[in-house]
Amino acid sequence: MASSEENEMYSKQWEGCMEIAVQTARTAGQVIREAFKHEKEVSTKSSPVDLVTETDRLVEDLIISSLREKYPSHRFIGEESSAAGEKCLLTDNPTWIIDPIDGTCNFIHSFPMVAVSIGFAVNKELEFGVIYHCLDENLYTARKGHGAFCNGIQLQVSKETDMSKALILTEIGAKRDPATLKIFSGNMERLLKAQVHGIRVIGSATLALCQVASGAADAYYQFGLHCWDIAAAAVIIREAGGNVIDTSGGPLDLMSRRIVAAGTVEMAHYIAREIQTITYERDDHNAN
Ligand code: LIP
């Protein structure tokens, strides 16, 4: 078993990578802020509500090309490269997991919940995460074993275990067929019947997960998000003292397209027991 010194030595080598991720996220955020004010060219991907703009593609190219220049041997998983057919494969190699614009629908409508998300994994283990809220210029960061921060202020999740005092976030996802909407509204109804204080849908999985990390919300659950929505946020929530699990109650599976995150393990497992599953094809379904 590696000693804490060896662990520190091991994770320290990624410190430089995280600093580069922060600079890259800030640069990408500037491009997004500029484009935010202008007309957007919109097209659709897997469904009429799965939207993309030229800025999503431009920002992803900017992020990956600048990181690849510095780390040519590393691997990259990006939302738009995957949509363009690149395999979504997580190996033991150092891998950057990138969402250039999380909250694309918000971006299109100039609704200010828009973020850049950069996660980093080695040996399939998440090592650090950077999420940059482009409009508020809030920078969320965390490195495994070193705590989570927003603009340098340490984050702490809520300690709430009582559902009747909870504020919950969720997202609808891209599937809108009647059976899916029935399950989605049934899940909300069961939590509302538990007298939660409220349920919020803000249109950005990464910024919703950052609300859990900061303790502003007690929990988040979703079916249909992607590994690039989860990677950075999962490290930030864990380092803020929180829990990220699979909707079955088991360990988080980055490629499964589903998550429950909460300040307390009690609340995470309560929600996992209450919600009915909406099935989505895994992100790595075409990896082999
Ligand atoms: C979005 C997520 C949201 C999910 C959407 C989409 P995007 O990410 O933030 O939680 O419901 O389907 O995945 O496409 O804006 O990067």
Side-chain angles (χ1 to χ4, degrees):
M1 169 104 137
S3 68
S4 58
E5 285 77 29
E6 284 160 338
N7 281 339
E8 177 46 26
M9 285 278 291
Y10 174 78
S11 87
K12 198 153 186 53
Q13 67 186 304
W14 311 125
E15 199 173 0
C17 293
M18 186 160 104
E19 277 151 25
I20 297 293
V22 165
Q23 291 160 21
T24 309
R26 286 191 188 285
T27 309
Q30 218 161 344
V31 174
I32 296 167
R33 266 196 305 278
E34 205 34 55
F36 193 75
K37 307 172 213 144
H38 305 299
E39 195 62 30
K40 287 92 181 184
E41 210 183 297
V42 181
S43 44
T44 59
K45 299 187 285 186
S46 64
S47 81
V49 293
D50 187 7
L51 309 174
V52 64
T53 71
E54 267 322 294
T55 311
D56 292 75
R57 298 190 178 107
L58 175 89
V59 169
E60 182 162 314
D61 292 349
L62 175 154
I63 293 173
I64 293 184
S65 54
S66 74
L67 293 173
R68 189 172 264 142
E69 203 181 303
K70 295 182 182 68
Y71 308 105
S73 64
H74 290 186
R75 297 282 180 88
F76 298 88
I77 295 175
E79 174 168 6
E80 304 321 328
S81 341
S82 303
E86 265 194 38
K87 290 199 182 318
C88 197
L89 179 63
L90 191 59
T91 65
D92 289 347
N93 293 304
T95 304
W96 300 77
I97 306 166
I98 296 155
D99 188 340
I101 300 184
D102 183 49
T104 299
C105 177
N106 291 344
F107 173 71
I108 291 163
H109 292 271
S110 301
F111 184 82
M113 297 305 276
V114 174
V116 178
S117 180
I118 302 176
F120 185 79
V122 184
N123 298 325
K124 302 188 182 71
E125 275 279 320
L126 293 167
E127 286 292 334
F128 68 75
V130 171
I131 294 173
Y132 184 50
H133 186 165
C134 311
L135 283 304
D136 284 5
E137 304 198 37
N138 283 333
L139 180 75
Y140 298 86
T141 58
R143 189 157 66 83
K144 198 166 75 175
H146 293 81
F149 302 84
C150 178
N151 300 339
I153 298 164
Q154 185 132 28
L155 296 175
Q156 173 60 53
V157 293
S158 90
K159 299 206 176 349
E160 189 57 69
T161 57
D162 181 349
M163 288 307 289
S164 71
K165 293 196 179 73
L167 183 67
I168 311 284
L169 288 102
T170 190
E171 284 298 330
I172 301 162
K175 271 188 181 174
R176 301 291 171 81
D177 58 281
T180 298
L181 293 183
K182 194 159 180 288
I183 298 173
F184 178 80
S185 43
N187 286 342
M188 284 183 103
E189 192 179 337
R190 271 189 294 287
L191 294 175
L192 291 169
K193 279 188 178 147
Q195 300 306 318
V196 297
H197 278 177
I199 299 180
R200 305 282 179 271
V201 176
I202 65 172
S204 163
T206 59
L207 290 178
L209 288 160
C210 285
Q211 304 316 313
V212 174
S214 68
D218 304 294
Y220 174 88
Y221 68 93
Q222 189 186 348
F223 298 96
L225 73 177
H226 296 272
C227 58
W228 44 79
D229 298 311
I230 297 172
V235 188
I236 294 169
I237 289 175
R238 284 174 179 152
E239 287 299 318
N243 307 270
V244 281
I245 60 171
D246 183 73
T247 51
S248 65
L252 177 72
D253 173 347
L254 202 54
M255 296 292 171
S256 67
R257 310 271 314 266
R258 54 198 207 179
I259 191 172
V260 177
T264 59
V265 68
E266 293 87 347
M267 190 168 289
H269 285 281
Y270 178 94
I271 292 171
R273 278 194 306 278
E274 283 299 305
I275 57 179
Q276 186 186 345
T277 296
I278 299 171
T279 309
Y280 280 85
E281 196 171 46
R282 290 177 62 84
D283 276 333
D284 56 3
H285 70 278
N286 67 348
N288 301 316

Short mmCIF file of all heavy atoms in Angstrom, two decimals, residues 230-258:
data_model
loop_
_atom_site.label_atom_id
_atom_site.label_comp_id
_atom_site.label_asym_id
_atom_site.label_seq_id
_atom_site.Cartn_x
_atom_site.Cartn_y
_atom_site.Cartn_z
N ILE A 230 -19.92 15.07 -15.71
CA ILE A 230 -19.72 14.49 -14.37
C ILE A 230 -18.27 14.63 -13.86
O ILE A 230 -18.04 14.93 -12.68
CB ILE A 230 -20.09 12.98 -14.37
CG1 ILE A 230 -21.57 12.77 -14.70
CG2 ILE A 230 -19.73 12.31 -13.06
CD1 ILE A 230 -21.95 11.30 -14.91
N ALA A 231 -17.27 14.41 -14.74
CA ALA A 231 -15.88 14.19 -14.31
C ALA A 231 -15.35 15.26 -13.35
O ALA A 231 -15.00 14.96 -12.21
CB ALA A 231 -14.98 14.09 -15.55
N ALA A 232 -15.33 16.50 -13.77
CA ALA A 232 -14.75 17.56 -12.91
C ALA A 232 -15.58 17.74 -11.64
O ALA A 232 -15.04 17.83 -10.54
CB ALA A 232 -14.70 18.88 -13.69
N ALA A 233 -16.91 17.74 -11.80
CA ALA A 233 -17.80 18.00 -10.66
C ALA A 233 -17.69 16.91 -9.60
O ALA A 233 -17.76 17.19 -8.40
CB ALA A 233 -19.24 18.11 -11.16
N ALA A 234 -17.46 15.66 -10.02
CA ALA A 234 -17.37 14.56 -9.05
C ALA A 234 -16.18 14.77 -8.10
O ALA A 234 -16.31 14.58 -6.88
CB ALA A 234 -17.23 13.23 -9.78
N VAL A 235 -15.04 15.22 -8.63
CA VAL A 235 -13.87 15.48 -7.78
C VAL A 235 -14.17 16.64 -6.83
O VAL A 235 -13.87 16.59 -5.64
CB VAL A 235 -12.61 15.85 -8.62
CG1 VAL A 235 -11.37 15.92 -7.74
CG2 VAL A 235 -12.39 14.87 -9.76
N ILE A 236 -14.82 17.69 -7.36
CA ILE A 236 -15.11 18.89 -6.56
C ILE A 236 -16.06 18.55 -5.40
O ILE A 236 -15.82 18.95 -4.26
CB ILE A 236 -15.67 20.01 -7.47
CG1 ILE A 236 -14.59 20.48 -8.45
CG2 ILE A 236 -16.20 21.19 -6.64
CD1 ILE A 236 -15.09 21.39 -9.57
N ILE A 237 -17.08 17.73 -5.67
CA ILE A 237 -18.03 17.36 -4.60
C ILE A 237 -17.35 16.46 -3.57
O ILE A 237 -17.47 16.67 -2.36
CB ILE A 237 -19.29 16.68 -5.19
CG1 ILE A 237 -20.12 17.72 -5.93
CG2 ILE A 237 -20.12 16.01 -4.10
CD1 ILE A 237 -21.32 17.16 -6.66
N ARG A 238 -16.57 15.48 -4.03
CA ARG A 238 -15.88 14.58 -3.08
C ARG A 238 -14.93 15.40 -2.19
O ARG A 238 -14.89 15.20 -0.98
CB ARG A 238 -15.08 13.51 -3.84
CG ARG A 238 -15.94 12.39 -4.42
CD ARG A 238 -15.11 11.46 -5.28
NE ARG A 238 -15.90 10.36 -5.84
CZ ARG A 238 -15.59 9.75 -6.98
NH1 ARG A 238 -14.52 10.12 -7.67
NH2 ARG A 238 -16.36 8.76 -7.43
N GLU A 239 -14.18 16.33 -2.79
CA GLU A 239 -13.20 17.11 -2.03
C GLU A 239 -13.88 18.15 -1.13
O GLU A 239 -13.27 18.70 -0.23
CB GLU A 239 -12.20 17.78 -2.98
CG GLU A 239 -11.20 16.79 -3.59
CD GLU A 239 -10.35 16.09 -2.52
OE1 GLU A 239 -9.91 16.78 -1.58
OE2 GLU A 239 -10.19 14.85 -2.60
N ALA A 240 -15.16 18.41 -1.36
CA ALA A 240 -15.93 19.32 -0.49
C ALA A 240 -16.63 18.52 0.62
O ALA A 240 -17.43 19.07 1.38
CB ALA A 240 -16.96 20.10 -1.31
N GLY A 241 -16.33 17.20 0.66
CA GLY A 241 -16.87 16.34 1.72
C GLY A 241 -18.16 15.63 1.36
O GLY A 241 -18.82 15.05 2.22
N GLY A 242 -18.54 15.67 0.06
CA GLY A 242 -19.82 15.11 -0.38
C GLY A 242 -19.72 13.72 -0.96
O GLY A 242 -18.64 13.11 -0.97
N ASN A 243 -20.85 13.23 -1.46
CA ASN A 243 -20.96 11.87 -1.99
C ASN A 243 -21.47 11.89 -3.42
O ASN A 243 -22.45 12.58 -3.71
CB ASN A 243 -21.95 11.09 -1.13
CG ASN A 243 -21.59 11.15 0.34
OD1 ASN A 243 -20.86 10.32 0.83
ND2 ASN A 243 -22.06 12.20 1.02
N VAL A 244 -20.84 11.13 -4.30
CA VAL A 244 -21.35 10.93 -5.66
C VAL A 244 -21.48 9.44 -5.88
O VAL A 244 -20.49 8.70 -5.73
CB VAL A 244 -20.43 11.57 -6.73
CG1 VAL A 244 -20.65 13.06 -6.82
CG2 VAL A 244 -18.98 11.29 -6.47
N ILE A 245 -22.72 8.97 -6.20
CA ILE A 245 -22.95 7.54 -6.36
C ILE A 245 -23.74 7.28 -7.63
O ILE A 245 -24.24 8.22 -8.26
CB ILE A 245 -23.71 6.95 -5.13
CG1 ILE A 245 -25.07 7.63 -4.96
CG2 ILE A 245 -22.87 7.07 -3.85
CD1 ILE A 245 -25.97 6.96 -3.91
N ASP A 246 -23.88 6.00 -7.96
CA ASP A 246 -24.73 5.61 -9.08
C ASP A 246 -26.19 5.64 -8.61
O ASP A 246 -26.47 5.48 -7.41
CB ASP A 246 -24.37 4.19 -9.54
CG ASP A 246 -25.18 3.79 -10.76
OD1 ASP A 246 -24.90 4.32 -11.85
OD2 ASP A 246 -26.14 2.99 -10.60
N THR A 247 -27.14 5.81 -9.52
CA THR A 247 -28.55 5.86 -9.13
C THR A 247 -29.06 4.53 -8.58
O THR A 247 -30.13 4.48 -8.00
CB THR A 247 -29.40 6.26 -10.35
OG1 THR A 247 -29.06 5.40 -11.45
CG2 THR A 247 -29.16 7.71 -10.74
N SER A 248 -28.25 3.46 -8.74
CA SER A 248 -28.62 2.16 -8.15
C SER A 248 -28.20 2.08 -6.68
O SER A 248 -28.52 1.12 -5.99
CB SER A 248 -27.89 1.04 -8.91
OG SER A 248 -26.47 1.22 -8.67
N GLY A 249 -27.42 3.11 -6.25
CA GLY A 249 -26.91 3.11 -4.87
C GLY A 249 -25.47 2.63 -4.82
O GLY A 249 -24.79 2.78 -3.80
N GLY A 250 -24.98 2.06 -5.92
CA GLY A 250 -23.60 1.56 -5.99
C GLY A 250 -22.62 2.68 -6.29
O GLY A 250 -23.02 3.86 -6.32
N PRO A 251 -21.33 2.33 -6.52
CA PRO A 251 -20.32 3.36 -6.81
C PRO A 251 -20.60 4.08 -8.13
O PRO A 251 -21.20 3.52 -9.04
CB PRO A 251 -19.00 2.57 -6.88
CG PRO A 251 -19.38 1.15 -7.02
CD PRO A 251 -20.78 0.97 -6.51
N LEU A 252 -20.17 5.35 -8.22
CA LEU A 252 -20.35 6.14 -9.44
C LEU A 252 -19.68 5.43 -10.62
O LEU A 252 -18.57 4.91 -10.49
CB LEU A 252 -19.72 7.53 -9.28
CG LEU A 252 -19.77 8.43 -10.51
CD1 LEU A 252 -21.19 8.94 -10.76
CD2 LEU A 252 -18.79 9.60 -10.37
N ASP A 253 -20.38 5.39 -11.77
CA ASP A 253 -19.83 4.83 -13.01
C ASP A 253 -19.83 5.99 -14.01
O ASP A 253 -20.88 6.39 -14.50
CB ASP A 253 -20.70 3.67 -13.50
CG ASP A 253 -20.30 3.13 -14.88
OD1 ASP A 253 -19.50 3.81 -15.57
OD2 ASP A 253 -20.79 2.05 -15.27
N LEU A 254 -18.63 6.50 -14.32
CA LEU A 254 -18.50 7.73 -15.12
C LEU A 254 -19.20 7.66 -16.47
O LEU A 254 -19.65 8.66 -17.00
CB LEU A 254 -17.00 8.01 -15.32
CG LEU A 254 -16.55 9.41 -15.66
CD1 LEU A 254 -17.04 10.43 -14.65
CD2 LEU A 254 -15.03 9.47 -15.75
N MET A 255 -19.28 6.42 -17.03
CA MET A 255 -19.81 6.26 -18.39
C MET A 255 -21.29 5.88 -18.41
O MET A 255 -21.87 5.66 -19.47
CB MET A 255 -18.99 5.19 -19.12
CG MET A 255 -17.55 5.57 -19.32
SD MET A 255 -17.41 6.93 -20.48
CE MET A 255 -15.69 7.37 -20.35
N SER A 256 -21.92 5.80 -17.24
CA SER A 256 -23.28 5.22 -17.15
C SER A 256 -24.39 6.20 -17.50
O SER A 256 -25.55 5.78 -17.61
CB SER A 256 -23.51 4.74 -15.71
OG SER A 256 -23.56 5.90 -14.86
N ARG A 257 -24.09 7.50 -17.63
CA ARG A 257 -25.10 8.54 -17.95
C ARG A 257 -26.11 8.73 -16.81
O ARG A 257 -27.27 9.10 -17.04
CB ARG A 257 -25.86 8.19 -19.24
CG ARG A 257 -25.04 7.83 -20.45
CD ARG A 257 -24.64 8.98 -21.33
NE ARG A 257 -25.68 9.92 -21.64
CZ ARG A 257 -26.48 9.91 -22.72
NH1 ARG A 257 -26.36 8.91 -23.58
NH2 ARG A 257 -27.38 10.83 -22.94
N ARG A 258 -25.65 8.53 -15.55
CA ARG A 258 -26.56 8.75 -14.42
C ARG A 258 -25.77 9.03 -13.16
O ARG A 258 -24.64 8.55 -13.00
CB ARG A 258 -27.47 7.53 -14.22
CG ARG A 258 -26.71 6.23 -14.07
CD ARG A 258 -27.59 5.05 -14.31
NE ARG A 258 -27.10 3.89 -13.57
CZ ARG A 258 -27.68 2.71 -13.57
NH1 ARG A 258 -28.76 2.50 -14.30
NH2 ARG A 258 -27.19 1.73 -12.85
#
